[in-house]
Structures are given as C-alpha cells and as structure tokens.
Amino acid sequence: MIEFFNFKYLRMKLLGKLYLIPTTMGESDPMDVLPQTVRRTIEVIDHYIVENDKTARKSIKAVYPEKKQSELVLFTLNKRTEPSEHLDFIKPLLEGKNMGLMSEAGCPGVADPGAVIVKLAHEKGIQVVPLVGPSSILLAMMASGMNGQSFTFNGYLPIDKDEKKSAIRHFEKLSYDKNQSQLFIETPYRNNKLIEDLLQILSPATHLCIATDITLPTEFIKTMKISDWKKLKIDIDKRPTIFIIHKM
C-alpha cells in the first residue's frame, strides 16, 4: 500500500498543475479586482487554454506587461472546439509543464466551457489549482439581498418565446416553493426585451435583482419588487447582466 501511494505521489510530481486563472469582467484595472497570486502565476506560466486568443493575450498583458507574447502557447477552447482536441490541449500538463485555464471573463469553469478541461485534468490525475477572482454569479447574489443560503444558477433562458415564458414562470414557482433565489442570464443585446417579459409575466410582489457591469465603473445593482420596477425606466442593452428573482 505504501509503495502504491509513493508511486501515485511521484507520478503527480511529474505532471504539471492546471491553474484556473480568473480575469476581469470588462475594462477595469486588473489589480483592482485580482489578487497578486494571479500576477505571480501568469509570470511563470507560458501555456494556456483560453476561450478567446485575442482577449486572453490582452488580459495577460494587462496583468503582467513584462510577459513576452512570443513566449505564449495558447490553445483555444470554445463551442467550435471538437472534444477530440481536448487531450491535445493538456499534453503540456502530461509532460510536466504547468498550464493556465482562462475564461473570457470572470472565473473559468463556472458558466464557462473550461469545465470540460477541469474534468479531464481530474481524470488524468492532474492537480487543479483554483485562484481567487471575480464571479458575477456570486457577486450578484451577495449584493441582491435575496436568499444566499439557497439559490440556483440556471444559465441562459430559452430563445423560443413560449419556452422562455414557461421558464420564467417555472423559476418563479420554484423560488416560492423552495424559498430559493433563481439566477439566470440573457444574451446582452436581448436584456431590455427580457426586462419587458419579466415585468409582464412575474407577480407584482416578486422581487427582481438586476446586476449589470459588475466590478466595472458603470456597475448597476438594484433589487425591487416587480411593481416598483414598472415605475422605473432602465436601459441595459448590450451590458453583461445577472438577473435574480425570488417570490416570497
């Protein structure tokens, strides 16, 4: 048993580590929202799995300007990436090199395609190291005043009009039945239309939190009853937003 443990420990030492590196959620000073651990990690890592090559390079340069772009090796992971490519992406890890996993914005692996790489890393016995950084989901929940003891992130709402209405009603019922806050997002250019739908569908007494541009200078976070939202004109077109509803 001891020899087996030592073998596993030795193998893990020979493998690289996968660092989950958070990024800013827009045009802001990285050091305002990211800890020094992120800077120190980027300083020593050259291999990355990223959602977008251009924005990843920009993020790396913003955090550590001294980093030579020519030294970076980036693998792009997005909706067009074939599952067969995933193993190729982590070859540097299997060869003993540390790698970074970066999302387009915020924390990788949460509402982000990077989760498949994290899963694969665990399957291969690779150590996964999450670094502290901004999560729009948690920050919105923190600022909402709703039930932080029980909440669910539901991702994107359906595109189909009828399915979207059914989903909104379903989430409102869940929030009431389970005393559970329900979070979801929408493609930013559909935000204003979604607000119209929420005001029409939800009960006047249901609470709605709109959390927009979190951590940015233009940040807007407000929680009110639907009856009060109807008195307010709001325009959040093309601005990243988390919506939270809770019927009490």
Side-chain angles (χ1 to χ4, degrees):
M1 179 63 70
I2 294 177
E3 290 182 359
F4 177 67
F5 174 80
N6 286 341
F7 174 76
K8 287 181 65 177
Y9 178 71
L10 178 62
R11 184 172 182 272
M12 285 193 69
K13 288 187 67 176
L14 294 176
L15 297 172
K17 297 178 182 179
L18 178 64
Y19 287 85
L20 310 186
I21 302 176
T23 60
T24 60
M25 293 190 288
E27 296 294 334
S28 60
D29 186 338
M31 293 302 101
D32 284 345
V33 293
L34 300 176
Q36 286 295 323
T37 309
V38 172
R39 176 180 167 84
R40 291 196 296 267
T41 302
I42 287 178
E43 179 182 359
V44 297
I45 289 181
D46 294 327
H47 293 75
Y48 296 85
I49 299 171
V50 304
E51 193 172 352
N52 182 287
D53 185 287
K54 184 178 180 180
T55 55
R57 289 181 180 276
K58 184 178 179 180
S59 295
I60 291 170
K61 184 176 181 180
V63 174
Y64 192 72
E66 298 90 343
K67 193 75 171 180
K68 293 182 180 179
Q69 294 287 316
S70 59
E71 296 177 350
L72 297 176
V73 180
L74 304 185
F75 301 90
T76 304
L77 175 71
N78 54 40
K79 61 183 180 182
R80 293 181 295 275
T81 304
E82 295 293 335
S84 58
E85 299 178 68
H86 297 166
L87 193 58
D88 288 335
F89 288 179
I90 69 166
K91 278 185 178 179
L93 288 166
L94 300 175
E95 294 169 354
K97 299 182 180 70
N98 292 335
M99 295 189 73
L101 176 66
M102 299 177 71
S103 175
E104 179 80 359
C107 296
V110 180
D112 170 75
V116 297
I117 297 299
V118 177
K119 179 177 181 292
L120 182 58
H122 284 298
E123 291 173 356
K124 297 297 181 182
I126 294 165
Q127 183 177 350
V128 176
V129 185
L131 301 183
V132 175
S135 165
S136 59
I137 297 170
L138 288 179
L139 292 172
M141 195 63 236
M142 288 165 58
S144 71
M146 296 186 186
N147 190 358
Q149 297 292 334
S150 180
F151 58 90
T152 297
F153 176 65
N154 297 285
Y156 286 95
L157 292 179
I159 295 177
D160 179 81
K161 185 177 180 180
D162 292 334
E163 290 180 3
K164 181 189 296 185
K165 288 182 178 180
S166 295
I168 292 171
R169 292 191 181 99
H170 174 66
F171 295 148
E172 183 180 41
K173 187 175 187 301
L174 276 179
S175 70
Y176 182 78
D177 291 344
K178 296 186 175 184
N179 187 28
Q180 184 181 75
S181 300
Q182 301 293 320
L183 296 81
F184 46 86
I185 54 179
E186 179 59 286
T187 304
Y189 71 83
R190 296 195 187 108
N191 281 343
N192 288 345
K193 181 61 174 68
L194 175 57
I195 292 176
E196 292 178 9
D197 292 338
L198 294 174
L199 296 185
Q200 290 176 3
I201 297 168
L202 295 174
S203 166
T206 294
H207 285 78
L208 166 66
C209 175
I210 298 177
T212 299
D213 290 345
I214 297 176
T215 74
L216 303 182
T218 53
E219 179 179 87
F220 172 86
I221 304 176
K222 196 169 188 65
T223 299
M224 294 192 299
K225 292 180 180 178
I226 291 298
S227 57
D228 293 322
W229 277 112
K230 288 182 177 180
K231 304 172 186 176
L232 184 66
K233 179 66 176 178
I234 178 173
D235 181 3
I236 54 170
D237 184 48
K238 299 179 181 178
R239 297 166 64 186
T241 300
I242 298 283
F243 298 89
I244 312 176
I245 61 173
H246 199 138
K247 183 177 182 180
M248 303 176 190

